[in-house]
Amino acid sequence: MTNPLYPAFFRLDRLQLLVVGAGEVGEEKLSFILKSSPNARVVIVAPWMGEELKGLLDNYDKQARTQEQSPLDEAGFGGDVLTAARFTHEAPAGEWRTAAGGTVIWYARRFKAKDVEIADLVIAATDLKEVNLTVHASAKAARRLTNIADTPSLCDFYLGSIVTRGPLKIAISTNGQSPTFAKRFRQFLEAELPDLETSNLLDNLKTFRDRLTGDFRAKVRQLNAVTNSLLASTEDSNPACRCPEGECLVEAAANRTASSTISAPAASPLEGAPDNEPER
Ligand SMILES: C[C@@]1(CC(=O)O)C2=NC(=C\c3[nH]c(c(CCC(=O)O)c3CC(=O)O)Cc3[nH]c(c(CC(=O)O)c3CCC(=O)O)/C=C3\N/C(=C\2)[C@@H](CCC(=O)O)[C@]3(C)CC(=O)O)/[C@H]1CCC(=O)O
Ligand SMILES: NC(=O)c1ccc[n+]([C@@H]2O[C@H](COP(=O)([O-])OP(=O)(O)OC[C@H]3O[C@@H](n4cnc5c(N)ncnc54)[C@H](O)[C@@H]3O)[C@@H](O)[C@H]2O)c1
């Protein structure tokens, strides 16, 4: 079977999400969306909201009130913080904020075809096939990207299982064949990738990258050289070699990269290292 899916990483602080349905499936989808993108801008339309989802949103809101809000966008690219879209002539039944600058606004009523107009991305998560089909038809007529939860044949995009380790984001899909495998593989990767060390490794690599001078090819050569050991350790199938000196792979790489970062002069210390092709 071929697998022609094309992954991309959305900035949900810059896109407006509409979620139709706020029961069990809505809670499942939104919990993963907000876990990965707590700065998302979400409008929910559903006559009622499940207690679990309410509890989740209340928790985000409580944190937002107790923690200092980060006024600038989380991704660190700068740019304007966009305000959440809303149906201006209607009173929402609930409104929640997150410490990361996200907003969730709930309108307690049935879905209307025009609702899709405020959104870039539309997710239907109701238990009623005819409602999901109406959402699909309205969203597609307005050329919105559409996910009809748990109905692959109607999805423009699938939601994936997500691993976040600092700046590293890994999205997993099984092309719709086994969401349970996607979940298990996420759990496997989460256990394999220690949070702090993976973040440190990437932070060190950024520092190293920022210090590099020279032309593009020279930079690529040096970055390839300093990251080469990551692959070198995995090439050995002996599991003992994946964890040299009792450290896990990423931990060891983070330590090695930290010393390279500290000692990296403007000119390459790594001349003569393997000249790998840039992975582009
Ligand atoms: C990854 C994840 C992301 C998320 O939801 O955010 C996600 N499903 C998750 C869990 C999960 N979903 C289901 C179970 C029950 C066990 C089982 O069936 O396996 C479990 C496991 C559990 O809950 O433990 C039921 C289910 N799901 C779909 C169908 C319909 C069908 O297959 O035809 C049915 C049958 C419904 C029924 O029988 O009524 C379809 C889809 N589910 C997808 C995503 C998309 C494909 C992803 C991919 O390419 O792999 C796709 C195509 C569309 C979409 O929804 O975007 C999230 C894991 C998050 C995590 O833990 O990390
Ligand atoms: N991933 C999964 O497959 C998964 C996850 C959780 C639960 N489930 C199963 O699915 C079953 C149903 O869960 P669910 O979330 O689909 O149903 P649900 O009954 O929990 O929630 C339905 C939601 O749709 C909303 N809704 C109904 N009519 C609407 C309309 N016209 N416009 C807008 N919103 C409308 C309701 O207000 C409610 O918020 C559960 O019993 C559970 O067994 C599956």
Side-chain angles (χ1 to χ4, degrees), residues 8 167 181 204 235:
F181 177 85
N204 288 338
E235 271 161 14

Side-chain angles (χ1 to χ4, degrees), residues 20-26 28-29 45-50 109-111 125-128 131 150:
V20 183
E24 288 189 51
V25 175
E28 186 185 90
K29 301 295 168 190
V45 171
W48 58 265
M49 179 179 282
R109 60 159 171 79
R110 290 170 178 217
F111 170 78
T126 85
D127 55 334
L128 302 169
V131 176
D150 300 343

